[in-house]
């Protein structure tokens, strides 16, 4: 079936990521490994279940010698650059009106703020303006690969999954989307 709708992920699809960077930045602060408890708080933060203040306070209790600014810098170290050619490509697709475009990103308030700093406000606004709607995990209380992430967008936007393409850099996310009937492209 021809594609009519595209749902894009953000990280490592548009903005480049260095996924191990946060752990590298935290090692001088005393982090030896990511514990299940840390992973749980990170996921809760991405779902907006805990606030930025609660998130930072949690890590300050674990690493009392680290200041808030150090922790935020380490947390945001994952975020790299947003190549202009990717925005130009997206603008071309958006202007063609050939597809309905959506953004679905597992993200959090600190990362989103840093993305806006990296891109600059004008570029960020232009980027977001390419999408009919954007979905951020911390605003919705859910995160990919949970099936509801896909079914809720399909239902809300009245999209047929068989003519909707989901593009993501994480295989478990594309597998989950495929199980909901979407066409997928795992980058």
């Amino acid at each position: 079936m021809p594609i009519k709708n595209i749902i894009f992920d953000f990280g490592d699809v548009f903005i480049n990521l260095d996924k191990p960077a946060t752990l590298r930045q935290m090692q001088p602060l005393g982090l030896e490994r990511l514990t299940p408890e840390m992973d749980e708080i990170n996921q809760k933060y991405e779902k907006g279940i805990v606030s930025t203040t609660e998130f930072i306070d949690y890590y300050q209790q674990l690493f009392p010698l680290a200041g808030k600014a150090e922790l935020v810098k380490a947390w945001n170290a994952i975020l790299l650059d947003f190549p202009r050619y990717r925005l130009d490509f997206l603008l071309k697709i958006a202007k063609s009106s050939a597809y309905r475009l959506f953004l679905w990103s597992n993200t959090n308030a600190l990362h989103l703020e840093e993305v806006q700093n990296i891109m600059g406000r004008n570029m960020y606004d232009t980027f977001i303006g390419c999408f009919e709607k954007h979905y951020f995990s911390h605003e919705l209380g859910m995160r990919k690969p949970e099936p509801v992430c896909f079914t809720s967008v399909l239902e809300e936007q009245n999209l047929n999954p068989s003519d909707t393409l989901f593009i993501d850099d994480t295989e478990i996310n594309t597998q989950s989307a495929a199980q909901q009937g979407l066409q997928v492209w795992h980058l």
Side-chain angles (χ1 to χ4, degrees):
M1 181 167 264
I3 295 167
K4 297 179 182 175
N5 319 292
I6 305 174
I7 304 171
F8 289 95
D9 178 37
F10 193 12
D12 269 348
V13 172
F14 290 108
I15 193 165
N16 289 321
L17 301 178
D18 180 358
K19 292 179 181 176
T22 296
L23 293 177
R24 283 195 313 269
Q25 291 274 330
M26 291 292 293
Q27 286 172 342
L29 303 176
L31 178 67
E32 294 177 14
R33 64 179 176 80
L34 184 68
T35 66
E37 294 81 18
M38 289 176 189
D39 187 49
E40 182 180 348
I41 196 84
N42 294 352
Q43 289 194 28
K44 284 181 177 180
Y45 184 52
E46 271 198 343
K47 287 183 173 185
I49 295 169
V50 299
S51 69
T52 297
T53 300
E54 293 168 321
F55 178 73
I56 295 299
D57 286 350
Y58 171 82
Y59 278 101
Q60 280 193 303
Q61 288 175 10
L62 293 178
F63 306 100
L65 299 178
K68 178 181 176 181
E70 282 181 293
L71 292 170
V72 170
K73 182 179 178 186
W75 180 250
N76 286 335
I78 187 175
L79 302 167
L80 299 177
D81 63 315
F82 186 108
R84 177 67 200 206
Y85 73 88
R86 291 182 184 155
L87 179 59
D88 293 339
F89 170 75
L90 182 62
L91 284 166
K92 186 176 178 180
I93 294 173
K95 287 179 183 174
S96 77
S97 299
Y99 308 99
R100 293 179 67 194
L101 303 178
F102 303 92
L103 181 70
W104 211 127
S105 180
N106 285 348
T107 194
N108 58 76
L110 284 172
H111 282 171
L112 200 53
E113 183 179 326
E114 183 63 14
V115 162
Q116 292 170 4
N117 291 332
I118 290 168
M119 294 175 71
R121 193 67 207 189
N122 288 339
M123 186 176 179
Y124 178 79
D125 288 345
T126 300
F127 170 73
I128 288 296
C130 291
F131 301 101
E132 192 171 319
K133 184 157 183 185
H134 58 273
Y135 299 89
F136 295 131
S137 61
H138 72 287
E139 296 174 346
L140 300 173
M142 61 179 104
R143 68 186 297 277
K144 299 174 290 183
E146 296 168 0
V148 68
C149 296
F150 307 105
T151 57
S152 64
V153 173
L154 294 170
E155 187 176 301
E156 177 184 319
Q157 299 299 329
N158 197 28
L159 305 178
N160 181 341
S162 63
D163 60 23
T164 302
L165 175 65
F166 174 66
I167 302 171
D168 197 293
D169 67 306
T170 306
E171 188 172 14
I172 193 168
N173 294 344
T174 55
Q175 289 172 344
S176 179
Q179 290 171 354
Q180 307 316 308
L182 285 85
Q183 295 186 52
V184 297
W185 179 9
H186 172 230
L187 290 179

